[in-house]
Each structure stands twice: as C-alpha cells, then as structure tokens.
Amino acid sequence: ADSRSLNFIEHIIEDDLASGFPKDQLRFRFPPEPNGYLHIGHASSICLNFGLGLRYDAPVNLRFDDTNPAKEEAEYVDAIKRDVSWLGFEWAEERYASDYFQQLYDWAEDLIRQGKAYVDSQSSEEIAAQKGTPTEPGTNSPHRNRSVSENLELFRGMKDGKFEAGAHVLRAKIDMASPNMLMRDPVMYRILHRAHHRTNTDWCIYPLYDWTHGESDYIEQVSHSLCTLEFKPHRPLYDWFLDAVTEAGKLRPKQREFARRNLSHTVVSKRKLLQLVEGGHVSGWDDPRMPTISGLRRRGCTPEAIRNFADTIGIAKRDNVVDVALLDFHMREHLNQIAPRVMAVLDPVKVVLTNYPEGETEWLETENNPEDPGAGTREIPFSRELYIEREDFREQANRKFFRLKLGGEVRLKSGYIIKAEQAVKDASGTITEIHCTYDPKSRSGSGTEESRRKVKGTLHWVSAEHAHRAEVRLYDRLFTDATPDQHKDRDFMEFLNPDSLEVVEARIEPGLAGAQPGERFQFQRLGYFCVDPDSSEDRLVFNRTVTLRDTWAK
Ligand code: ATP
Ligand code: MG
Ligand code: MG
C-alpha cells in the first residue's frame, strides 16, 4: 500500500471493514468481454482492481465475460491475458462466465419455478414496443402469466435447440411499471445458434449481461464488483437477481460504480477501435497509434508509465476526458530514466570537414545515460563526412538560432567544435553538403582549454561512412479533434488525422545494429524511440514513442 490518499472506492471498502466485513473475504475481479483488445480506459479498471488486491492482500480474478459468441474470439482472450500480465499484474484465477452456463441455467429454472421468470414468445419489436417510456408504465406481455410447467417446457425446448433464433426469450418477471426501465421484465436468455469459442455448440441459448454478471460475481464470491457508471441504473437489477439466488451464509457481492476514463484525441471503445482496424485505417489492434495496451507497448510505452498515469488520474465519479499529453508526460518521465541515449539523424544532410584527414576514423567516448550513472559509456565513430539534421543548418539566421549557420560554430555532441564555411547546392537550390572546418583541439573530454570552450549549440550527428540506414515511423495524434466521438452530428471517423504517420529513412549510429524489437532508446535531441517487430536482421524499424517535449500544436 502506498501513501497517497484513499480514493472513494477505497473509502467504501474501509467503511465496510470498519463495520465488520472480514478483511479475508475481500475479493475483486477484472471482467473484460473478449470482443476486442484492451485499451487505456481498461488500464484504469485494471489498475483499480489489481491495486485493491495489492492494498488489501486480496485475490483478484481475471474473468472473461464471454456470453456473446457473435463477437468474441479466443484471439482476444490471449491478447487480454498478455496485456494484463505486461502491465505487471497477477490474477488469482482465470475464470470464464461461460464456465457458469450450466449453473446459470439451473438457477433460471429455479426462477421459473418460483414464478420469477417466464418465456415470452413475442418478437423483439413487440417486446420493445411494450416497454413504455420513463414516464409511462409498460404493458404486460400476453405470455407473462404462463404456468410454471409451460414455461419450463418452453425453456427446455429453447435449450434443446427446438426453436429458431428470436422465437422465444426468457424474461425476469419484475415490474412493467417500474420507474427504472431496466426492471421492466428484462430479458435473461436469448436463442443464438452459434458456436462459442469455449463451449462450442453445447449451448444455443446465451445469458445476457445483467443475468450473468452478478451471478458470476456470486459464484466467485467477489466482495466488491466495480464497474463503470453506465451500470449504475443496473444496480437494482443486479441486486434483484442476487436476491433470487443467494443462500444464507454466503457472501453477497456488492456493485459499485466509478467513472469511465476517456483519453483526448482518440476513442476508447472496442467497437470503434475495431472499426479502425477493419477499415484499414491502422495496421491492426497493435498499431502504435492505437490507444490499446498492445499499441502503446509496440510504440515503446512502458507498463510503469501506464500505471503511473492511471495512478495520477485516479478514480472519478463523473466521466471525463484526460489529456493525452498527461500520458506522454508519464512516458517521458520513465523513459528518461531508463532509455540509453543514442544518435540518429532523421532528415540527414551531409557535413564535410574539409580540414579533417581523409580516410581516418576516430572513436569518441560518450555517455549512455546521464540519468543513470551505472549505464556506462560507449564509443562512436567520427570521420571526415558526417550527417546532421537538415533543420539544424541555416545559411543565415538571427542570434536566437543556436544551431549551425554560415560563419557560426556549434559543438558536435561528444565530439568537436565545427564552423560552417560553405553551403553546396544542387541545380534546384537544395543544399547537398555543408563544408565545415573543425577545431582539432576541441574534442570533448580531451582536457584541453579548447575542449571546454563554450559555444551556444550542440548538435547530434552520425558518421556518414559508419551510419546504418533505418526506417523510422513518426506518429502524430490519430484524431485531429480532442473528443472525436462526442460530437452530436458528426461521425468520429471524420476527424481521423490524415498525417498521423510519417515514415522517414534515418541514419543511425552503427552500435544500434542488433537491437531487438521492444528495445527503447532516446535519440538525442529528438525523442524516445522503440524497435518495432517489423525490423529484420539488416534493417531496423523504429517507432517514435514520444518527443522530448510537448511540441504538438493544440
Ligand atoms: P468498450 O466500450 O471498449 O467495449 P466495455 O466496458 O464494454 O468497454 P469491457 O470488456 O466490458 O469493456 O470492460 C472490462 C472492464 O473495464 C469493465 O469493468 C469496464 O467497466 C472497464 N472499462 C472499460 N472501459 C473503461 C474506461 N474507458 N474507463 C474505465 N474503465 C473502463
Ligand atoms: Mg462491457
Ligand atoms: Mg463493450
């Protein structure tokens, strides 16, 4: 447990403990539906539930809420497990709502026998038309008073595959006049002739969320079932279903709600993210522009950064949008500590040191990470021809331009002071080479007076002959609007940023050869970058995780 102040869910738990709830009966769960990949919104829920597990030394189950075979797949189950583990959490047990299908079915028969459920044979349109409005009561179904035996026979027939989809549903018999629309005889089961990724064709009726969720919590004896705010009106139904099955002496779970976290300039909804994937707007669920955990991982984000982000934003009672800049901040914070510094030039222009001996290579020592004294040093090659960033040179510039200009000096990081003498251009006027002279006595760390000479700018560079080529993918926000899916009359897809990906051919220091997918670096003066799995033996591909500063124009 840490020292920060308690969030309101923790206060609820503290109150329960204070009023006698046994601490050893605390139990939580994270309940994803395996119908997509986890996103940064889920990270909040994961950090909340698993954080409670750590704080109270209580088990946390990973429960797949897999009741809809039309949308769920084993691929998603695997991805979710990978992502939760990667975030650094361990679940007590891996559970599946589908493991409870038989128990749920048996309970449903009990409800029928108790007169608390009935088979309705109307179409879904008819049922919807009878729902009423929030101010007017609904109408009872003509099948509402079917006898127990007729209900049991029909329900068993549904289960045994005797009917087409839509022929019947099982409904809870609650109150068609309830002010809470969700209590107006909600559907518990529907017929669906579709194979399930775990139970295959064992079932052709599937339980709905409200009927499944609380009962699953009860089966697992989850003490505090935390869900997002949209389920608040479902709470009376959650309780009604539990009342129907809870036995004396067993723990009765308690649903409590917290706010959804949205992230600016993106969408956090699996359905919408799936649309991006299926529409080919991104390369997949793990495209580094996606707000998915797998996308963030591929981009180079660390689990620590996500956990710190989730901790900072905490748990709220109202839905809200968190600025993605805060996530970027946490990425920088952590990467600054752990990422080795290297040199890479993204938009190279050649520098020729006219007074440097031809064919000579010097190896210059440079620090791996000034933030980490244990990170050591390495040697980088220096020679007569180098690359610097094209934007680091101007023929003429005012005094605020601390980079290279004609007649001006800069220091090459861990190297020498150079002075620009001449810009060589091609027929179109594009600069092809910058001819410079270097000060041979100015080498960094050489101990000479010149080595300590202060010049205004320091540039990163690579030796032209030694540098390797690499593909670098530069990412921008996926959406140009801060809240793309919160506009009344506009579809979120209209706000897709057409320039969210730029691919450049960079030159990188040769020591990077052999870097493995997932390895993270700071490209000096540019930002943090991570090796992408698209890399091959002889060609590295990097993703820009985040720039060094928040330079994005809002
Ligand atoms: P989506 O709309 O993306 O499908 P969901 O809530 O339907 O989201 P689930 O798989 O049911 O997705 O979510 C698992 C858990 O994560 C639930 O408890 C859910 O409330 C929580 N969760 C989902 N999205 C967010 C979010 N944006 N912020 C906080 N918690 C979330
Ligand atoms: Mg859900
Ligand atoms: Mg959903």
Side-chain angles (χ1 to χ4, degrees), residues 350-453:
K350 191 171 270 185
V351 163
V352 179
L353 303 178
T354 53
N355 60 337
Y356 193 90
E358 279 189 61
E360 188 165 315
T361 300
E362 258 180 280
W363 291 83
L364 305 177
E365 187 172 44
T366 187
E367 264 179 314
N368 287 329
N369 187 351
E371 297 290 319
D372 176 2
T377 60
R378 70 184 184 290
E379 298 206 316
I380 46 174
F382 186 87
S383 64
R384 189 169 193 265
E385 297 196 353
L386 312 165
Y387 288 115
I388 64 168
E389 298 289 345
R390 186 167 287 278
E391 66 164 26
D392 281 340
F393 174 72
R394 284 189 207 158
E395 289 178 83
Q396 285 171 349
N398 65 26
R399 290 164 56 216
K400 285 186 184 146
F401 185 77
F402 296 138
R403 294 175 265 172
L404 190 61
K405 56 192 167 196
L406 284 180
E409 285 183 320
V410 291
R411 175 173 292 283
L412 295 176
K413 172 78 189 162
S414 301
Y416 294 91
I417 294 173
I418 63 167
K419 180 177 181 183
E421 310 282 358
Q422 190 201 346
V424 181
K425 298 176 189 175
D426 67 13
S428 70
T430 305
I431 294 171
T432 52
E433 284 181 359
I434 306 158
H435 286 185
C436 301
T437 50
Y438 86 115
D439 175 353
K441 296 206 181 97
S442 65
R443 182 161 60 81
S444 295
S446 62
T448 63
E449 202 173 307
E450 289 86 346
S451 73
R452 287 187 294 268
R453 188 153 69 82

Side-chain angles (χ1 to χ4, degrees), residues 196-211:
H196 183 279
H197 65 101
R198 300 191 83 233
T199 58
N200 206 349
T201 52
D202 290 355
W203 296 89
C204 60
I205 56 170
Y206 288 95
L208 271 77
Y209 174 87
D210 287 308
W211 170 236

Side-chain angles (χ1 to χ4, degrees), residues 24-38:
D24 62 3
Q25 284 186 30
L26 289 177
R27 183 183 284 271
F28 307 95
R29 90 287 173 258
F30 171 65
E33 182 181 355
N35 62 345
Y37 282 59
L38 297 179

Side-chain angles (χ1 to χ4, degrees), residues 29-33 35 39 41-42 44-45 226-228 230 258-262 268-270:
R29 90 287 173 258
F30 171 65
E33 182 181 355
N35 62 345
H39 51 62
H42 291 112
S44 276
S45 177
L226 309 173
C227 60
T228 36
E230 71 272 22
F258 64 97
R260 246 171 213 277
R261 290 298 192 178
N262 299 304
V268 282
S269 147
K270 282 177 282 184

Side-chain angles (χ1 to χ4, degrees), residues 137-307:
T139 312
N140 285 350
S141 161
H143 305 124
R144 199 170 195 263
N145 290 319
R146 271 178 166 151
S147 68
V148 169
S149 58
E150 190 185 358
N151 278 323
L152 279 179
E153 192 183 319
L154 285 168
F155 188 46
R156 287 172 187 164
M158 285 167 64
K159 169 179 162 273
D160 292 339
K162 297 205 173 122
F163 306 113
E164 296 289 289
H168 308 282
V169 292
L170 185 74
R171 295 177 74 178
K173 192 170 179 177
I174 308 180
D175 179 5
M176 288 304 289
S178 171
N180 182 341
M181 301 283 285
L182 294 162
M183 299 296 273
R184 295 183 186 178
D185 292 9
V187 174
M188 295 170 65
Y189 277 93
R190 58 183 176 140
I191 300 169
L192 190 63
H193 293 277
R194 197 145 174 168
H196 183 279
H197 65 101
R198 300 191 83 233
T199 58
N200 206 349
T201 52
D202 290 355
W203 296 89
C204 60
I205 56 170
Y206 288 95
L208 271 77
Y209 174 87
D210 287 308
W211 170 236
T212 312
H213 203 89
E215 318 318 283
S216 303
D217 288 336
Y218 176 66
I219 292 168
E220 294 174 20
Q221 291 287 281
V222 166
S223 60
H224 294 77
S225 175
L226 309 173
C227 60
T228 36
L229 274 185
E230 71 272 22
F231 290 102
K232 189 153 194 163
H234 296 241
R235 201 205 283 183
L237 183 53
Y238 181 96
D239 289 336
W240 192 93
F241 280 137
L242 283 180
D243 286 340
V245 305
T246 303
E247 290 167 36
K250 290 199 92 178
L251 179 149
R252 187 172 172 290
K254 172 163 169 173
Q255 172 183 307
R256 289 296 177 267
E257 308 82 11
F258 64 97
R260 246 171 213 277
R261 290 298 192 178
N262 299 304
L263 192 65
S264 77
H265 298 94
T266 191
V267 290
V268 282
S269 147
K270 282 177 282 184
R271 182 178 57 79
K272 290 171 192 158
L273 295 172
L274 179 63
Q275 231 177 298
L276 293 172
V277 173
E278 290 187 330
H281 303 287
V282 293
S283 65
W285 284 99
D286 69 344
D287 185 300
R289 290 167 292 180
M290 292 281 269
T292 50
I293 306 297
S294 51
L296 288 164
R297 172 171 61 232
R298 183 166 176 183
R299 203 169 109 194
C301 181
T302 63
E304 288 85 344
I306 295 178
R307 293 202 307 261

